[in-house]
Amino acid sequence: MVNPLDKKHRGSIWWITILIAGLLLLLCSGMILRGISSIAQLFRTFLLGIMIAFVLNQPSKLIQNALTKKANWREKPAKAVGILGAYLFIFALLAAVVGIVIPQMIDSVRTFALNMDAYLNNLQQELDRITIPLGVQRIDLSNLIDLAHAGLGKMDAAVVPHILSVTGTMLQALGTLAISIAFSVYLLAGKERILSQGNRVLRAYLPKQTYEQTHSVVRVIVDCFRNYLIGQTTEAIILGSLCFVGMLILGLEYAGVVSVTVGVTAMIPILGAYIGGVVAVILLFMIAPWKALVFLVFFVILQQVENNVIYPRVVGGRLGLPGIWVLLAITVGGQIGGVVGMLLGVPITTVLYTLLRNSVRSRESKKSSP
């Protein structure tokens, strides 16, 4: 016979156990992440293939649905064309980046390296102009200037070995990428069969209620990560493009480097774009303070447009996560896993928030029903 006291407190004991397990996971997060990283290194080729297939699944489905519904294509040829079209789109996008953005970035880096001495001298003069009237101790950048000269000299001496090293690394990376792409094509082509087989295994070995709960959790995880990826990527592309066009109109230097930096950092919600903006302000301040001021005003206006127009329309309710939780996810994720933790913290928190919200609603509906 079961003790009634055990029934009464069974739920509390269960939640206390979950809380203790969560605290232990947080305390041992460093060791757990190192273990996950070691395992990921062993399967990095196949994990990369899974990531590529996950990213390209949505565009391939859009092309396939358009061909089957609007052009009355059969399913198999429409699926093949959809997969091919998704890869061609990505390759065309990469070709555009390599052909347009990369040369702009190389020219910007070369120009910056050639003019670094003048930039640092300008920065020293501006700092002196600010600190001397205020009676603040002078900030001396002479050591930084000498360090920059020494770094450029070492760069010139080591350019050939560095090129050889980079070439070998690129060849190895291209080989890994080719295998990953082939694996991703296999996943996209046979995703229905693979998902069906996994579904059958879960259904065969798990109790019915556990199977349904697992299926629901997996669906929430996939939806949250897909919505985060689509929303943030679209927003980052739009923001980086607007920044590039605006800097060209204003005649500001390093438009390519700054825009790519702003676009890449914008993948981190809320704080990301500001990181790229700070880098741009520092870079332009070394050239001319008034240019840094012009960019700062432009960037503040751009952020207002982004926060009030772009983000609500492009991302909107895709995440469904309150702003305070987004900020908390970025902070905790950054402390645990650095930049990767900041990127993954938001979708992981969205998954946990969605699961908790669904559980609360389910329990409330059960209690309110007669």
Side-chain angles (χ1 to χ4, degrees):
M1 182 176 179
V2 181
N3 191 342
L5 187 63
D6 294 338
K7 280 187 175 182
K8 182 178 179 180
H9 296 284
R10 186 179 300 171
S12 300
I13 295 173
W14 173 249
W15 283 110
I16 292 173
T17 304
I18 294 177
L19 179 61
I20 294 175
L23 292 175
L24 290 176
L25 287 175
L26 288 176
L27 293 174
C28 302
S29 59
M31 183 175 61
I32 294 173
L33 288 175
R34 286 192 294 270
I36 294 175
S37 177
S38 300
I39 297 174
Q41 285 295 324
L42 295 175
F43 299 96
R44 61 182 181 275
T45 302
F46 300 104
L47 291 176
L48 180 59
I50 294 173
M51 292 174 59
I52 295 173
F54 184 81
V55 171
L56 296 183
N57 180 51
Q58 194 67 21
S60 66
K61 285 175 62 178
L62 291 175
I63 298 174
Q64 179 182 350
N65 292 335
L67 292 176
T68 53
K69 294 180 180 180
K70 296 182 179 180
N72 296 323
W73 283 39
R74 289 183 297 176
E75 184 176 353
K76 286 187 176 181
K79 183 178 180 180
V81 173
I83 295 174
L84 180 61
Y87 280 97
L88 289 178
F89 172 75
I90 293 297
F91 289 150
L93 185 62
L94 291 176
V97 171
V98 172
I100 299 174
V101 178
I102 298 299
Q104 176 74 22
M105 293 183 64
I106 293 175
D107 291 339
S108 300
V109 172
R110 184 185 296 113
T111 303
F112 181 79
L114 293 175
N115 297 285
M116 184 181 294
D117 194 14
Y119 293 161
L120 291 175
N121 288 328
N122 290 340
L123 181 59
Q124 181 69 73
Q125 293 176 5
E126 295 300 329
L127 290 175
D128 292 341
R129 187 179 303 173
I130 295 173
T131 56
I132 292 176
L134 296 176
V136 181
Q137 184 179 0
R138 182 176 184 268
I139 302 175
D140 189 7
L141 298 179
S142 58
N143 293 331
L144 182 60
I145 295 174
D146 295 337
L147 184 62
H149 285 298
L152 289 175
K154 291 180 180 179
M155 186 183 300
D156 292 337
V159 64
V160 175
H162 184 67
I163 290 176
L164 294 176
S165 176
V166 170
T167 302
T169 304
M170 288 183 61
L171 290 176
Q172 183 179 2
L174 287 175
T176 302
L177 181 61
I179 299 175
S180 300
I181 291 175
F183 183 63
S184 67
V185 172
Y186 173 79
L187 289 176
L188 287 175
K191 61 183 178 182
E192 290 83 4
R193 184 182 61 183
I194 296 172
L195 293 176
S196 176
Q197 291 174 347
N199 195 36
R200 288 177 58 189
V201 171
L202 293 177
R203 190 187 294 273
Y205 286 97
L206 293 179
K208 182 178 180 180
Q209 185 176 1
T210 305
Y211 164 78
E212 292 176 352
Q213 292 175 349
T214 303
H215 189 273
S216 176
V217 170
V218 171
R219 173 51 55 191
V220 168
I221 293 173
V222 172
D223 289 342
C224 289
F225 273 84
R226 182 179 64 244
N227 292 334
Y228 172 78
L229 181 65
I230 295 174
Q232 289 301 132
T233 303
T234 306
E235 185 205 10
I237 293 174
I238 295 175
L239 187 62
S241 301
L242 291 177
C243 183
F244 182 75
V245 173
M247 292 186 70
L248 288 180
I249 294 174
L250 295 173
L252 299 176
E253 288 84 353
Y254 307 117
V257 174
V258 171
S259 302
V260 171
T261 304
V262 170
V264 172
T265 54
M267 289 297 296
I268 303 173
I270 298 179
L271 301 178
Y274 290 100
I275 299 173
V278 170
V279 173
V281 169
I282 296 174
L283 187 62
L284 293 172
F285 187 84
M286 296 175 67
I287 302 173
W290 69 268
K291 292 186 177 182
L293 180 61
V294 169
F295 176 81
L296 184 60
V297 174
F298 162 70
F299 190 72
V300 170
I301 297 174
L302 181 62
Q303 279 298 297
Q304 293 302 315
V305 175
E306 189 265 343
N307 292 330
N308 296 294
V309 179
I310 300 175
Y311 193 90
R313 292 180 179 274
V314 176
V315 181
R318 283 186 178 273
L319 293 181
L321 190 66
I324 184 63
W325 291 107
V326 174
L327 186 60
L328 180 64
I330 295 171
T331 305
V332 176
Q335 291 291 328
I336 295 177
V339 177
V340 177
M342 295 175 71
L343 290 172
L344 296 180
V346 175
I348 291 175
T349 305
T350 305
V351 170
L352 298 177
Y353 178 83
T354 304
L355 293 176
L356 179 60
R357 182 186 60 193
N358 293 343
S359 177
V360 170
R361 289 177 178 176
S362 176
R363 288 175 177 270
E364 286 178 344
S365 64
K366 289 180 179 178
K367 289 183 178 182
S368 62
S369 61

